[in-house]
């Protein structure tokens, strides 16, 4: 860490200030958790709303507070109050973002507990397919053990070139086999299944059962044909160009009947504006939801 | 740079040192203005709805189908599956998905219908479990809540897809609700549920996944219908008001787009006419054409066109701002331990 990077949120590594900050953070965090767990449900709501409001206010400020123009943090000091606040908000952004990650990390424990409870019960009661639950729990524990083991070895022995598999030990190999050899491959296998699902879904969607489905079928066929080299060549070059297009004229009306042009028109005139419109609606919905959550107007699930 | 060539914002900065932020340079402030207008519309309508004003919401077939789907599951005696998307960490989309799921759970709780909710992230799992437990308590049947009905599956996309597909097959779910953020796995879920004949209600905030849901599901909430769901289902004034506020914002945006289209069309027409005049009057002299086009560009920089408001411009890189130098900047020594 460079001196230039030290700010309100960071301290010199292993300094007294840092240790004080760590201890204070743990104490304040424990106090908040203890206070929340003891507080009656009605009192929890305003506390949580205040915390939500403060977090939201930070990001609103970060977004809208005037940012310093052409400011080089490494060589310059901020000018006046507005630039100082902008600099502070800029420094704080990554730290505030990390708080959310820390909270999520705490919750991961609860997630693992859920998995162990559900599958542990299934094994204990010898419910249907309990053997798969054994595989899952053994895989989970193995991955944790080998993952940490591999990380520890790589961190502890920096002199070894771990890019070379010949330098690996049993733990490194085990992790590589489980992660790269099994998990990644199974992920890829699941992803590849989508191709077959697309085919079966497309077959159902493209049956001409109604006027709308027939229009969809016709439009889709045009776009598909435009992407098929052979058909596009036969229609665009062999049919349009050789029979109808005037030699040397590239902006003729007949050129619009080429599959490539029709496909471009469908995508540019119908598809893109429609998707943009949908995205705009979603954006407005998200904004409205965010405002309600921020201002404590969202009651949620009631 | 000659004084006349300065834009309004640049002249304010250079002559008066008014500290506008770099994000507000030229038309940048328009984004903030638009956001404030949208927020104002939403808050104003929440107030209107709160004051008892009757506000209209159109019929949304996908949401009417929720009761039908729960009823079918009850008749068949099979569980209802809910997947509130792949949001990680929990965001506004996840909260909305959980809101709709809580309505489904409320209906299911009335008929003692079993539910299964699959969570992608640990934070979603925690939130969902709390909300679902609250729903059963609010309905006066806390004993019917099964803590194992809310499950954390995996936070890896395709492991989650495999897990949920497995549950659909094993439990033979009668109704499935896929609501929230979905990506490539959307079709895996929808086709698996389709293969066992489950009635499906789905919605994805990812516009690219909506066609997959349309192809494979019975009912789909498209775009902002997803956000309209809680207002439609609960008719709570705050939610109905914000929904109407969204509609006002859309009207406003449409009006701006129309103004922009007209203004840009006029601008393009006059531009091409003036270019034609310059070329014709130059009589083939390339220098004259160049000078004419440069003058035209200068004139057009000051011409009012609505669409110009929407093109953000960064401050010029050569714009020098006098600031004090940082004392330690020259040495910048390394302190402490760094990963080597």
């Amino acid at each position: 860490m460079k001196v230039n990077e030290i700010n309100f949120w960071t301290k010199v590594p292993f300094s007294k200030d840092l240790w004080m900050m760590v201890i204070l953070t743990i104490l304040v965090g424990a106090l908040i958790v203890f206070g929340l767990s003891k507080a009656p449900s009605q009192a929890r709501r305003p506390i949580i709303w205040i915390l939500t409001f403060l977090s939201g206010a930070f990001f609103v400020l970060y977004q809208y507070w005037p940012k310093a123009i052409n400011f080089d943090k490494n060589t310059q000091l901020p000018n006046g109050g507005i630039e100082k606040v902008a600099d502070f908000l800029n420094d704080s952004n990554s730290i505030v973002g990390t708080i959310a990650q820390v909270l999520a990390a705490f919750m991961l424990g609860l997630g693992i507990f859920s998995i162990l409870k559900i599958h542990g019960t299934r094994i204990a009661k010898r419910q249907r397919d309990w053997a798969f639950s054994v595989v899952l729990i053994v895989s989970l524990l193995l991955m944790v053990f080998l993952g940490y083991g591999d990380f520890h070895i790589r961190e502890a022995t920096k002199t070894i070139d771990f890019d070379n598999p010949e330098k690996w030990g049993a733990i490194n190999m085990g992790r590589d086999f489980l992660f790269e050899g099994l998990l990644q491959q199974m992920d890829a296998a699941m992803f590849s299944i989508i191709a077959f699902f697309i085919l079966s879904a497309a077959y159902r969607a493209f049956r001409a059962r109604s006027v709308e489905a027939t229009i969809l079928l016709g439009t889709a066929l045009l776009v598909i044909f435009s992407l098929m080299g052979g058909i596009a060549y036969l229609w665009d070059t062999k049919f349009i160009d050789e029979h109808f297009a005037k030699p040397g004229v590239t902006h003729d009306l007949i050129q619009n009947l080429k599959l490539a042009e029709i496909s471009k028109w469908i995508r540019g005139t119908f598809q893109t504006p429609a998707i943009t419109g949908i995205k705009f609606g979603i954006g407005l919905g998200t904004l409205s939801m965010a405002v309600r959550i921020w201002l404590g107007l969202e009651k949620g699930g009631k | 740079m000659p004084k006349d060539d300065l834009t309004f914002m640049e002249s304010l900065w250079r002559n008066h040192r008014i500290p506008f932020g770099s994000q507000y340079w030229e038309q940048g402030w328009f984004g903030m203005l638009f956001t404030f207008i949208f927020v104002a519309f939403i808050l104003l309508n929440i107030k209107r709805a709160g004051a008892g004003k009757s506000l209209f919401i159109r019929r949304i077939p996908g949401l009417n189908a929720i009761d039908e789907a729960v009823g079918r599951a009850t008749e068949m005696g099979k569980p209802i599956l809910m997947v509130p998307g792949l949001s990680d960490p929990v965001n506004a989309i996840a909260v909305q998905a959980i809101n709709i799921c809580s309505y489904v759970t409320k209906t299911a709780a009335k008929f003692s219908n079993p539910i299964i909710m699959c969570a992608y992230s640990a934070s979603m799992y925690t939130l969902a479990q709390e909300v679902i437990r609250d729903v059963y308590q609010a309905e006066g049947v806390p004993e019917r809540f099964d803590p194992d009905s809310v499950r954390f599956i995996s936070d890896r996309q395709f492991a989650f897809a495999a897990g949920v597909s497995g549950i659909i097959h094993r439990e033979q779910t009668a109704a499935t609700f896929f609501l929230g953020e979905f990506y490539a796995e959307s079709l895996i879920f929808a086709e698996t549920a389709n293969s066992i004949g489950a009635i499906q209600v789905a919605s994805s905030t990812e516009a690219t996944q909506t066609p997959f849901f349309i192809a494979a599901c019975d009912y789909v909430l498209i775009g902002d219908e997803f956000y309209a769901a809680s207002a439609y289902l609960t008719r709570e004034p705050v939610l109905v008001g914000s929904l109407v506020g969204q509609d006002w914002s859309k009207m406003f945006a449409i009006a701006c787009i129309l103004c922009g289209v007209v203004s840009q069309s006029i601008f393009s027409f006059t531009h091409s006419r003036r270019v034609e005049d310059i070329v014709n009057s130059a009589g083939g002299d390339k220098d004259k054409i160049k000078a004419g086009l440069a003058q035209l560009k200068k004139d057009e920089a000051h011409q009012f066109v609505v669409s110009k408001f929407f093109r953000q411009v960064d401050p010029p890189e050569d714009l020098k701002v006098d600031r004090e130098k940082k004392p330690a900047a020259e040495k910048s020594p390394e302190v402490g331990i760094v990963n080597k």
Side-chain angles (χ1 to χ4, degrees):
Chain A
M1 185 179 283
K2 290 175 181 172
V3 169
N4 281 344
E5 291 166 10
I6 305 286
N7 56 47
F8 175 82
W9 297 97
T10 55
K11 300 287 169 216
V12 177
F14 299 101
S15 66
K16 269 186 187 172
D17 283 355
L18 180 72
W19 286 115
M20 280 298 289
M21 214 165 169
V22 170
I23 292 165
L24 262 176
T25 308
I26 292 171
L27 277 176
V28 172
L31 268 176
I32 291 174
V33 172
F34 182 75
L36 276 175
S37 64
K38 291 289 169 196
S41 319
Q42 283 182 333
R44 268 184 225 169
R45 199 177 276 274
I47 296 170
I48 289 168
W49 175 70
I50 289 168
L51 289 174
T52 310
F53 181 80
L54 289 176
S55 317
F58 172 79
F59 285 106
V60 169
L61 263 182
Y62 174 73
Q63 199 65 35
Y64 291 124
W65 190 268
K67 289 183 172 57
I69 294 167
N70 292 350
F71 174 55
D72 181 5
K73 193 177 166 53
N74 291 324
T75 56
Q76 295 176 319
L77 285 172
N79 254 351
I82 291 178
E83 286 196 0
K84 278 179 184 159
V85 173
D87 188 41
F88 172 75
L89 290 170
N90 203 35
D91 285 341
S92 314
N93 185 37
S94 61
I95 303 293
V96 176
T98 313
I99 293 172
Q101 287 177 12
V102 171
L103 288 174
F106 273 111
M107 289 174 193
L108 187 64
L110 287 171
I112 292 171
F113 174 72
S114 159
I115 289 177
L116 291 177
K117 189 170 164 248
I118 288 172
H119 293 276
T121 312
R122 189 172 288 169
I123 296 166
K125 292 184 179 173
R126 294 283 193 276
Q127 286 171 347
R128 195 168 62 122
D129 296 335
W130 64 272
F132 293 123
S133 298
V134 175
V135 174
L136 187 138
I137 289 176
V138 170
S139 308
L140 179 90
L141 297 175
L142 255 182
M143 197 68 226
V144 170
F145 171 72
L146 292 175
Y148 276 109
D150 178 75
F151 173 77
H152 181 73
I153 292 168
R154 281 170 195 262
E155 287 298 305
T157 45
K158 295 262 181 194
T159 48
I160 297 174
D161 173 23
F162 281 101
D163 288 339
N164 181 5
E166 285 175 11
K167 306 276 168 85
W168 290 355
I171 288 183
N172 307 111
M173 281 184 186
R175 190 216 70 101
D176 186 71
F177 172 70
L178 280 183
F179 188 75
E180 302 289 345
L182 286 178
L183 190 60
Q184 296 280 55
Q185 307 308 318
M186 286 191 286
D187 265 2
M190 276 307 286
F191 188 54
S192 65
I193 288 174
I194 297 171
F196 300 98
F197 283 145
I198 287 176
L199 195 69
S200 65
Y203 170 72
R204 280 201 313 279
F206 291 158
R207 274 182 300 179
R209 288 171 299 186
S210 60
V211 178
E212 291 92 338
T214 315
I215 293 171
L216 181 70
L217 174 67
T219 318
L221 280 177
L222 280 172
V223 176
I224 290 168
F225 287 154
S226 76
L227 296 171
M228 294 168 80
I231 293 179
Y233 173 76
L234 285 176
W235 179 264
D236 293 357
T237 312
K238 287 284 167 192
F239 187 67
I240 301 273
D241 279 350
E242 288 187 7
H243 290 86
F244 298 101
K246 292 169 193 162
V249 181
T250 51
H251 291 84
D252 195 0
L253 196 64
I254 198 77
Q255 299 287 335
N256 292 325
L257 294 178
K258 281 185 173 178
L259 282 172
E261 289 299 319
I262 295 171
S263 162
K264 204 168 90 182
W265 183 74
I266 289 170
R267 281 190 262 187
T269 316
F270 291 112
Q271 190 188 0
T272 309
I275 287 182
T276 310
I278 289 173
K279 281 183 179 170
F280 185 75
I282 292 171
L284 271 179
T286 312
L287 175 73
S288 156
M289 186 78 185
V291 168
R292 290 202 307 266
I293 294 174
W294 186 40
L295 300 179
L297 298 169
E298 181 68 36
K299 301 295 172 205
K302 294 278 160 26
Chain B
M1 191 184 283
K3 206 179 174 185
D4 291 348
D5 286 350
L6 293 179
T7 56
F8 175 68
M9 207 61 104
E10 202 166 343
S11 71
L12 275 181
W13 170 261
R14 287 190 197 273
N15 300 327
H16 306 287
R17 285 283 180 260
I18 293 175
F20 293 109
S22 62
Q23 75 267 47
Y24 301 129
W25 195 260
E26 296 303 336
Q27 289 81 266
W29 56 275
F30 231 68
M32 180 176 69
L33 179 72
F34 257 57
T35 314
F36 283 157
I37 290 172
F38 292 162
V39 171
F41 282 161
I42 290 164
L43 293 178
L44 176 71
N45 278 291
I46 288 176
K47 207 176 172 204
R48 281 177 72 216
K53 182 115 183 152
S54 164
L55 301 170
F56 170 75
I57 310 178
R58 71 173 171 83
R59 189 177 159 271
I60 303 173
L63 295 172
N64 287 341
I66 290 181
D67 291 339
E68 182 194 332
V70 175
R72 187 165 176 260
T74 312
E75 281 171 14
M76 293 171 78
K78 287 180 177 173
I80 296 163
L81 177 86
M82 293 175 285
V83 183
L86 273 71
S87 304
D88 188 23
V90 172
N91 53 19
I93 301 167
V95 173
Q96 177 59 16
I98 298 256
N99 277 351
I100 306 174
C101 289
S102 69
Y103 176 82
V104 176
T105 309
K106 197 173 162 184
T107 317
K110 280 180 194 159
F111 300 110
S112 310
N113 208 325
I115 59 150
I116 300 169
M117 187 186 253
C118 297
Y120 171 75
S121 65
S123 44
M124 177 77 99
Y125 162 74
T126 321
L127 174 70
Q129 198 165 43
E130 286 297 313
V131 170
I132 299 300
R133 182 185 286 123
D134 278 359
V135 171
Y136 277 95
Q137 270 173 354
E139 285 301 299
V141 283
E143 72 284 355
R144 285 187 197 158
F145 172 65
D146 173 11
D148 292 346
S149 61
V150 183
R151 300 174 190 181
F152 169 62
I153 306 292
S154 169
D155 58 3
R156 280 184 73 86
Q157 186 184 16
F158 289 105
F160 182 70
V164 173
S165 302
I167 288 173
I168 293 172
H169 270 299
R170 279 193 301 276
E171 306 285 347
Q172 291 288 304
T173 52
T176 54
F177 294 89
F178 302 118
L179 306 156
E181 258 178 288
F182 288 94
Y183 302 91
E185 72 295 332
S186 62
L187 198 59
I188 298 179
F189 294 154
E191 277 295 282
T192 310
N194 188 285
S195 70
I196 60 157
I199 186 166
Q200 298 185 75
V201 180
S203 177
S204 174
T205 50
E206 291 301 308
T208 48
Q209 299 305 318
T210 306
F212 292 129
F213 275 149
I214 291 173
C217 297
D218 299 287
Y219 297 96
V220 180
L221 305 173
I222 299 173
D224 56 341
E225 283 181 352
F226 171 67
Y227 286 102
S230 27
Y232 186 83
L233 295 168
T234 61
R235 305 279 164 169
E236 224 185 89
V238 169
L239 303 176
V240 174
S242 69
L243 185 62
V244 174
Q246 281 168 241
D247 284 346
W248 280 27
S249 306
K250 278 185 221 164
M251 296 300 164
F252 179 69
I254 290 169
C256 287
I257 290 168
L258 286 177
C259 287
V261 167
V262 171
S263 149
Q264 185 65 34
S265 302
I266 295 170
F267 176 78
S268 299
F269 179 73
T270 50
H271 173 81
S272 54
R273 288 291 295 272
R274 285 193 64 183
V275 169
E276 208 177 311
D277 288 347
I278 289 166
V279 173
N280 288 339
S281 62
D285 185 344
K286 283 186 179 174
D287 290 337
K288 266 190 173 179
I289 294 174
K290 261 188 189 173
L293 290 177
Q295 184 58 42
L296 177 64
K297 197 176 173 186
K298 210 184 262 183
D299 293 347
E300 283 176 352
H302 298 283
Q303 199 172 327
F304 176 78
V305 184
V306 174
S307 56
K308 270 189 186 176
F309 282 127
F310 303 96
R311 294 190 199 120
Q312 192 171 340
V313 179
D314 290 329
E317 279 178 21
D318 64 335
L319 190 69
K320 292 271 183 283
V321 182
D322 298 327
R323 290 190 183 95
E324 216 177 307
K325 276 196 173 177
K326 205 168 192 175
E330 287 165 15
K331 280 187 178 177
S332 68
E334 300 248 338
V335 289
I337 292 175
V338 188
N339 264 356
K340 284 179 183 167

